[in-house]
Amino acid sequence: MMNISHLKALQQFYVDALEKHATLRAPSKFQLDLQAILFTHHQRATDMLGKLL
């Protein structure tokens, strides 16, 4: 199991990655797929963190 500081770092990593791939125009299919993956991983880290707190 991961510790709280590691999970918080993972959350920030996924937030930064999502921000980096955000676009003002209509996103491409690749960007939508990437965002879906990043959101899934961010949610997983958030859920694990919620169980620890």
Side-chain angles (χ1 to χ4, degrees), residues 18-53:
L18 286 163
E19 180 182 30
K20 185 172 116 179
H21 292 283
T23 180
L24 295 176
R25 301 177 309 232
S28 67
K29 177 165 176 18
F30 173 77
Q31 287 172 316
L32 289 173
D33 291 342
L34 179 60
Q35 287 176 355
I37 291 167
L38 292 171
F39 275 122
T40 299
H41 289 298
H42 178 269
Q43 188 61 48
R44 186 177 301 142
T46 301
D47 292 343
M48 290 170 59
L49 186 58
K51 290 177 185 177
L52 292 175
L53 299 175

